[in-house]
Amino acid sequence: MILVGKYSCMKNIGLFVGVLLAFSFFAACSSNKEEQALGRARTYADYINTGKRIAVQAGDVYGKIAQDIFKAKDAPEYLTVADMLESLRMGKIDAALLSHSYIRQLVDSGSYPNVDYLWVPEDVYVNKAGPVFYTTGLRDKYNEWFRGIAANGTWDKILDRWIGAPLPAQKDIPKFKFTGENGTLRVCDTGNYPPLIYFDANNEPAGFDVEMISLFAQHMGMKPEFTMMAYEAIGPYVVSGKADMSSATLTITDERKKGMIFGEPSVITQAVLIVPKTGADKVSEKAIDYTYFAGKEIAVMTGVLTYITTEKIGGKPINYNDSSSAAEDVRQGRVAGYMHALSAVQVMAAQLGGFEAIAVPKDIFSAQIGAISHDQDVINRFNAFLPVLEADGTLKEMKSRWFGSSLDLKAPIPEIKNPGKNGVLKVAICSDSIPYVYVGANGNFSGFSVELALRFGAHEGKIIEFTNMEFGGLIPYIVSKKADFGIANMAITAERKKSVLFSDPFFDEQHGILALKQSVGTPVVAAPAVSAISYTDFVGKKLGVYTGSICEQVTVDINAIPAYYSDLSAGLEDVRKGRIAGYMTDLSMLRVLAASPGNEDLLLIKVPIEFFIAPMGAISANQDIINRFNVFLSRLVANGTLAEIQDRWLENMHELDPAMPDIQLAGTNGTLRIATSGTEVPFAYTGANGQLKGYCIELALRFAVHEGMDVEFADMDFSGLIPYVLGGKADLAISTISITDERKKSVLFSDSIYDDQFGIITLKNSEGALVSRDHVVKKGGFASWLKTGIERNLITDNRWRMIVNGLGTTMLISLSAHFFGTVFGCFVCFVLTRKNKIVRKLGSMYCGLVYGTPVVVLLMITYYIIFGNTNISNVIVAIAAFTIVMGAGIAQNLKGAIDTVDPVEIEAARSIGFSSFNAFLTVTLPQAIRRALPGYTNSFVELVKATAIVGFIAIQDLTRAGDIIRSRTYDAYFPLLFVAAIYLIVTTICVQLFKFVVRKANKGAVQ
């Protein structure tokens, strides 16, 4: 046992010594290798397959080179070379890969002394770049010209001036004069990449690209017109025909050649790796200060004084209506930061990963925060309450709790007892004002200002009733006396004091900027599938808009031409056919459209909120209903239900057709009549069971529950909503009705139910476009198109039932109106044949009025004026309207037929003893009926077709059913063709039946 133990011990010692020797050997080898590496100059090869992070320019081909040649771990894209090199200096990336054309300028600048430049040999990679053209004709002319300047040495001189040399002095930059006799040469480029292109001391474009394109324009007898944009947008911009060519040179690849027309390569460069010098100290990562944001776009809240601070520090303010959108755009790199109250951005930075709060010095801006009111007595009582709160230490404790660095947003407000014996105090707030006001974890309002208001209410013995709104609406709301006072993070200013009364200040605030940590050099974040084009590309072009919508004015504001449509699907089809450039409507609707199957060829473009934010409201002719609806809305906001509904239908739809919640109606207090437009997905539309659903429908149902009422919906054309409400036909209308000053003159609006912005739907450009729909139809054939159309428009969700129900309504109105119109027409004909001139004149006036007035106008007059104060069914009103129309037509037709009967025959009948009446029944009427029959049957056909307008008064007929289906499937063709086929079949059958009946009655005499 002892021997065994000794042997085991010796074995372990030997193993340990062996491992130690091996470790020493490898360490020595490693050290020797490192010494060798340090003893020689580094090359590009040291960065191949080493797991490095190699940054590249956004939209350039070098991202692929970094992956394919260097096998980089990551290749983050940057918008500017300066940002790229700043990230290299801070150690956030290992190297930057650029064209050698930039190197001389970087060296001469002296800004980057701690970097080395490692050239990639030509046999490894050479970058050949050339301009892009819209047409091959212009490309061929350019290539011929380029070969000429290459042969005579001009090209070499331009290269020597710009590439691999210091930027020339202002006096040495060539100047050009253009005749423009052959028109304008539209070129696009990006203005921030010297020496290729930049803006000189005179703010004029200069550089290699500019000199090349100027010489070519002179050669062509044209005048160049530059459009500057992001580098990655240049190719799509030219390919879509918005420019004749690019003055910028794009790297020529086999893949790009498939979609672009390239000219001869005019820039041939090597690739260069820019790396930190060996032993160079990395800059410690530290927070930037407010001076960094000079010249950059900064998000600000609309109506808040932060725009003044933004301008003071040299930034450009961009208006937003909510903090979440602003923070997301900071994260996506669309704006450099978000300027708000420092206390707010400190909380946001703590809650949101990757952000930091940057204080703006108080000498630039500081403000005192106070409450506002229209009533001096309320202000006096609040001012008396503040010292009490301060004396007992409560105010100090509140400030430390709400404005401390460790604020817990989920922490509830302390329990504040309030018997509420003295009534209600109405308080206006803005819940987008963390930490002053926000919606807490339990769905109730929380924050410093909310607690302060609740404590004031307890001090007054009054229950607090909050009304939430956008910050910009607080002062108007108070001034209009809709609330007793308002409290949020309202800074006291001399300008605001002219409009509203302020309390004593309860907090001293300064401004701060929410930014991404180490924002300098932050790589570009890939934004979701957006196009290189923007709303500015629609200047001078036709944009479809909904008739009667606010989009018309916004279209004019962006210098586009409005084209009017009554439904989205028709406008969408015209977009696909190229008749209009795009269609503008609510962004929330377009999100659903773009995500719907079959619309992969479409592109969604946002219209900036600076042009229009569309607050939508319910409308009524009854102020009491509006007041009750506003109270209902405020409760939905307070308990978080409204945010939940908006998330389900408008903002984060988890499926394209969410299920409606089960909402049980009591109906104990009567019926609430709601008007809506059921083709506005996702606000109001027809679901699988033929019932209305959507955001507005859920709001209406919940309001009915709140009121203890049942609901009766009236679905109609959008343009009929306001007249319908004003005519007393509905208690409330709720749809995508934007609140405007012009509309407020006609109808009462509720508070906003949703703040939407506008968007434009258009075809993807040639780079992003998928196979066109026409190609798909041709590929599958007519049978495939028919099968797909039937499945999408009729079978899915049992939509055929809407067609059947609509056809039943159409036939009921048509047959009833034709029957009563025949009876009434005979009476009018009798009036027209009287010998009394006054009676005949009255009959003629009636027929003239009917014939001279459009049918749709007569329908509206009948509905809103003749039967305006009645509760008669809409269908009966439609029958009455068309009876009036048919009566005039049948009377004129029958009188004309009577006038054609030969008077001799009547005289003969009278001579053999027939009375005047018997002669009319025996001789005149049979002949008149036979002669009036063609016009009579035609009048029925016209009547069936004319009933297509009953959707204006909330009747779901055959045409309206087709419109509803089109609004769900966005298929412009199939529902129209199917409805047209049904109309044709129905009218043909009815005409044949009329002829058959008359033929039998006359024993074959009718032909």
Side-chain angles (χ1 to χ4, degrees):
M1 291 292 290
I2 295 173
L3 289 175
V4 172
K6 287 182 177 180
Y7 174 77
S8 176
C9 181
M10 293 297 293
K11 183 179 178 181
N12 290 336
I13 292 172
L15 180 62
F16 174 76
V17 171
V19 170
L20 184 61
L21 289 173
F23 178 80
S24 300
F25 173 77
F26 284 116
C29 292
S30 175
S31 175
N32 184 52
K33 185 176 180 181
E34 184 176 341
E35 287 175 4
Q36 289 177 357
L38 291 175
R40 66 167 174 83
R42 288 176 298 172
T43 70
Y44 80 97
D46 294 322
Y47 285 79
I48 295 178
N49 204 19
T50 54
K52 302 290 188 183
R53 299 194 60 200
I54 301 178
V56 296
Q57 176 185 330
D60 206 340
V61 74
Y62 284 112
K64 184 174 177 58
I65 304 305
Q67 298 288 354
D68 293 349
I69 295 179
F70 290 91
K71 310 298 182 184
K73 176 184 178 181
D74 188 17
E77 294 186 338
Y78 287 73
L79 287 176
T80 67
V81 175
D83 280 353
M84 199 185 309
L85 296 180
E86 184 66 18
S87 284
L88 180 68
R89 187 175 68 88
M90 297 177 68
K92 297 172 69 176
I93 57 175
D94 300 304
L97 187 61
L98 287 173
S99 163
H100 88 259
S101 59
Y102 298 105
I103 302 306
R104 183 57 186 270
Q105 281 70 41
L106 294 179
V107 173
D108 290 342
S109 71
S111 300
Y112 305 98
N114 293 323
V115 299
D116 283 332
Y117 303 95
L118 310 181
W119 290 65
V120 179
E122 292 184 9
D123 58 348
V124 176
Y125 177 75
V126 174
N127 180 19
K128 295 183 178 181
V132 181
F133 296 84
Y134 180 54
T135 64
T136 56
L138 184 61
R139 185 271 313 274
D140 293 342
K141 292 178 181 178
Y142 173 86
N143 285 349
E144 181 182 358
W145 167 80
F146 178 76
R147 294 186 192 106
I149 68 167
N152 63 25
T154 303
W155 178 45
D156 289 333
K157 292 180 181 179
I158 300 174
L159 286 172
D160 291 341
R161 181 169 21 254
W162 295 106
I163 307 299
L167 289 178
Q170 183 68 35
K171 62 183 179 60
D172 297 326
I173 297 176
K175 307 298 181 186
F176 299 92
K177 293 183 179 180
F178 307 99
T179 61
E181 58 189 10
N182 294 327
T184 301
L185 183 66
R186 300 174 302 158
V187 294
C188 60
D189 207 319
T190 180
N192 58 346
Y193 286 101
L196 300 177
I197 188 169
Y198 64 99
F199 284 89
D200 62 21
N202 297 325
N203 203 30
E204 295 292 332
F208 174 84
D209 295 348
V210 177
E211 183 168 352
M212 287 288 288
I213 207 67
S214 298
L215 284 173
F216 179 57
Q218 278 188 340
H219 170 76
M220 296 289 292
M222 305 176 77
K223 181 180 180 180
E225 179 182 272
F226 286 92
T227 300
M228 301 301 179
M229 62 190 61
Y231 182 85
E232 63 269 25
I234 291 173
Y237 197 81
V238 176
V239 170
S240 61
K242 297 180 176 67
D244 301 312
M245 64 177 291
S246 70
S247 56
T249 54
L250 277 65
T251 300
I252 303 171
T253 66
D254 292 337
E255 187 65 29
R256 285 180 172 179
K257 282 181 178 180
K258 296 176 182 178
M260 299 183 191
I261 303 172
F262 277 97
E264 290 281 350
S266 56
V267 177
I268 302 174
T269 59
Q270 289 178 249
V272 180
L273 269 181
I274 306 177
V275 299
K277 278 186 176 179
T278 304
D281 294 331
K282 293 182 180 179
V283 177
S284 60
E285 296 184 357
K286 61 180 181 180
I288 55 176
D289 66 13
Y290 74 96
T291 59
Y292 165 75
F293 295 91
K296 293 180 170 61
E297 292 185 339
I298 302 175
V300 298
M301 190 73 69
T302 302
V304 183
L305 296 178
T306 47
Y307 79 92
I308 298 176
T309 307
T310 300
E311 291 175 345
K312 282 185 177 180
I313 68 171
K316 179 182 177 182
I318 304 297
N319 289 308
Y320 284 77
N321 277 343
D322 64 274
S323 293
S324 58
S325 297
E328 182 60 25
D329 276 6
V330 173
R331 189 190 297 279
Q332 295 291 344
R334 300 186 182 107
V335 291
Y338 172 42
M339 178 85 71
H340 203 45
L342 180 60
S343 56
V345 298
Q346 285 173 337
V347 174
M348 293 178 70
Q351 300 295 321
L352 303 172
F355 287 91
E356 62 179 326
I358 300 162
V360 177
K362 287 187 176 182
D363 58 353
I364 293 178
F365 181 87
S366 63
Q368 294 179 314
I369 308 299
I372 58 175
S373 179
H374 60 84
D375 188 340
Q376 186 63 58
D377 181 58
V378 173
I379 292 294
N380 293 339
R381 299 202 310 268
F382 186 80
N383 287 343
F385 156 74
L386 281 178
V388 174
L389 208 62
E390 192 166 7
D392 63 12
T394 303
L395 189 60
K396 182 179 180 181
E397 185 274 332
M398 286 175 57
K399 291 178 181 179
S400 64
R401 178 157 36 86
W402 289 110
F403 299 113
S405 58
S406 59
L407 171 63
D408 182 5
L409 294 178
K410 296 181 180 179
I413 292 177
E415 183 180 357
I416 301 171
K417 295 182 180 180
N418 184 359
K421 296 180 180 180
N422 298 329
V424 175
L425 193 66
K426 296 181 179 180
V427 179
I429 56 175
C430 172
S431 64
D432 197 17
S433 305
I434 296 175
Y436 293 90
V437 185
Y438 62 95
V439 178
N442 58 358
N444 294 326
F445 293 122
S446 188
F448 175 83
S449 295
V450 173
E451 181 177 343
L452 195 59
L454 292 173
R455 291 189 181 279
F456 179 53
H459 179 269
E460 295 279 296
K462 294 183 177 181
I463 297 296
I464 297 295
E465 183 180 285
F466 290 110
T467 299
N468 185 31
M469 65 192 63
E470 290 182 6
F471 187 90
L474 285 173
I475 290 180
Y477 198 81
I478 294 296
V479 171
S480 61
K481 300 182 180 180
K482 294 180 179 178
D484 297 307
F485 82 106
I487 187 167
N489 58 338
M490 183 74 70
I492 303 171
T493 68
E495 188 65 29
R496 286 174 174 169
K497 283 182 176 181
K498 297 175 182 178
S499 303
V500 70
L501 300 172
F502 272 93
S503 71
D504 294 336
F506 50 75
F507 189 72
D508 292 336
E509 184 65 270
Q510 67 186 97
H511 285 161
I513 304 172
L514 180 74
L516 287 174
K517 285 184 178 179
Q518 298 143 4
S519 304
V520 177
T522 301
V524 179
V525 180
V530 294
S531 166
I533 64 174
S534 71
Y535 73 97
T536 57
D537 292 283
F538 295 91
V539 172
K541 297 179 181 178
K542 285 186 177 181
L543 278 181
V545 297
Y546 205 98
T547 304
S549 71
I550 307 303
C551 293
E552 174 190 0
Q553 183 57 50
V554 179
T555 300
V556 174
D557 290 342
I558 68 172
N559 297 316
I561 304 169
Y564 300 96
Y565 291 83
S566 59
D567 66 273
L568 176 58
S569 57
L572 182 59
E573 194 58 33
D574 276 3
V575 170
R576 285 196 167 106
K577 290 298 183 184
R579 299 186 182 112
I580 57 177
Y583 190 95
M584 182 186 292
T585 189
D586 301 306
L587 184 62
S588 52
M589 296 173 64
L590 293 181
R591 285 196 191 104
V592 179
L593 169 61
S596 298
N599 293 328
E600 292 83 5
D601 58 337
L602 298 176
L603 187 68
L604 178 57
I605 300 166
K606 291 182 180 180
V607 177
I609 56 176
E610 289 83 358
F611 282 96
F612 189 75
I613 278 289
M616 301 175 184
I619 61 173
S620 179
N622 188 325
Q623 185 64 58
D624 180 59
I625 291 177
I626 291 295
N627 293 340
R628 301 201 313 261
F629 187 80
N630 287 342
V631 171
F632 156 74
L633 270 183
S634 64
R635 292 185 180 180
L636 284 191
V637 172
N639 61 28
T641 304
L642 190 65
E644 173 197 334
I645 301 172
Q646 290 176 352
D647 181 76
R648 175 166 51 249
W649 294 106
L650 305 177
E651 294 170 3
N652 296 296
M653 291 179 68
H654 304 294
E655 54 180 322
L656 290 178
D657 197 5
M660 279 285 290
D662 184 20
I663 301 174
Q664 300 296 325
L665 301 175
T668 54
N669 296 329
T671 300
L672 187 68
R673 299 172 301 164
I674 302 287
T676 192
S677 180
T679 58
E680 310 296 323
V681 180
F683 290 91
Y685 61 99
T686 303
N689 56 358
Q691 300 297 314
L692 287 169
K693 64 187 300 186
Y695 176 74
C696 290
I697 303 303
E698 182 174 344
L699 272 186
L701 292 172
R702 291 186 182 276
F703 179 51
V705 171
H706 177 268
E707 295 286 297
M709 304 176 76
D710 201 353
V711 170
E712 179 182 287
F713 286 106
D715 179 14
M716 65 189 66
D717 189 271
F718 181 87
S719 59
L721 288 174
I722 292 179
Y724 200 85
V725 168
L726 292 177
K729 299 295 183 181
D731 303 307
L732 194 73
I734 185 167
S735 185
T736 56
I737 310 171
S738 298
I739 303 172
T740 68
D741 292 336
E742 189 65 28
R743 285 176 174 168
K744 283 181 178 179
K745 298 175 182 178
S746 303
V747 70
L748 300 172
F749 273 94
S750 72
D751 294 338
S752 174
I753 60 174
Y754 184 68
D755 290 346
D756 207 348
Q757 69 184 98
F758 287 152
I760 301 171
I761 200 79
T762 186
L763 283 176
K764 287 182 179 177
N765 58 40
S766 57
E767 279 202 329
L770 303 178
V771 180
S772 70
R773 177 165 295 187
D774 290 341
H775 176 71
V776 174
V777 172
K778 290 176 183 177
K779 183 178 179 181
F782 176 77
S784 176
W785 172 80
L786 182 62
K787 179 182 177 182
T788 303
I790 292 174
E791 289 177 351
R792 288 183 64 204
N793 296 278
L794 300 178
I795 305 302
T796 302
D797 294 341
N798 294 320
R799 292 179 181 136
W800 60 270
R801 292 179 179 174
M802 287 188 282
I803 296 291
V804 172
N805 293 336
L807 176 60
T809 302
T810 294
M811 294 312 300
L812 173 63
I813 295 173
S814 300
L815 292 173
S816 299
H818 206 255
F819 172 76
F820 292 114
T822 300
V823 175
F824 186 54
C826 290
F827 170 75
V828 175
C829 179
F830 173 77
V831 171
L832 293 174
T833 56
R834 296 301 87 200
K835 294 181 179 180
N836 189 307
K837 290 183 179 181
I838 296 178
V839 174
R840 285 204 315 274
K841 189 67 174 176
L842 289 175
S844 297
M845 287 177 60
Y846 160 72
C847 293
L849 285 172
V850 172
Y851 274 120
T853 307
V855 178
V856 67
V857 176
L858 286 173
L859 176 66
M860 303 294 247
I861 290 173
T862 305
Y863 189 69
Y864 291 113
I865 299 177
I866 299 177
F867 294 98
N869 296 321
T870 66
N871 291 321
I872 297 176
S873 164
N874 295 9
V875 174
I876 294 177
V877 173
I879 292 172
F882 286 109
T883 295
I884 294 172
V885 175
M886 289 302 298
I890 290 173
Q892 292 279 35
N893 183 33
L894 190 57
K895 181 181 182 301
I898 291 173
D899 290 343
T900 62
V901 177
D902 193 343
V904 175
E905 296 183 40
I906 301 174
E907 291 299 327
R910 295 293 299 277
S911 67
I912 60 175
F914 280 84
S915 65
S916 176
F917 182 72
N918 287 335
F920 174 78
L921 290 178
T922 307
V923 178
T924 305
L925 188 59
Q927 296 185 63
I929 289 175
R930 288 196 297 272
R931 293 167 184 173
L933 180 60
Y936 185 74
T937 55
N938 288 339
S939 67
F940 179 75
V941 173
E942 294 301 321
L943 173 61
V944 173
K945 293 188 293 183
T947 58
I949 63 173
V950 296
F952 281 96
I953 59 170
I955 297 176
Q956 187 173 315
D957 68 322
L958 180 58
T959 300
R960 182 66 177 171
D963 290 341
I964 292 173
I965 292 174
R966 291 168 73 200
S967 73
R968 294 292 287 112
T969 63
Y970 304 106
D971 189 337
Y973 284 137
F974 190 89
L976 282 179
L977 294 175
F978 189 75
V979 167
I982 293 177
Y983 272 117
L984 179 62
I985 293 169
V986 168
T987 54
T988 301
I989 292 174
C990 290
V991 168
Q992 294 303 319
L993 284 175
F994 274 123
K995 289 184 177 181
F996 177 77
V997 170
V998 175
R999 187 178 293 115
K1000 285 293 184 181
N1002 290 279
K1003 297 180 179 180
V1006 177
Q1007 297 181 356

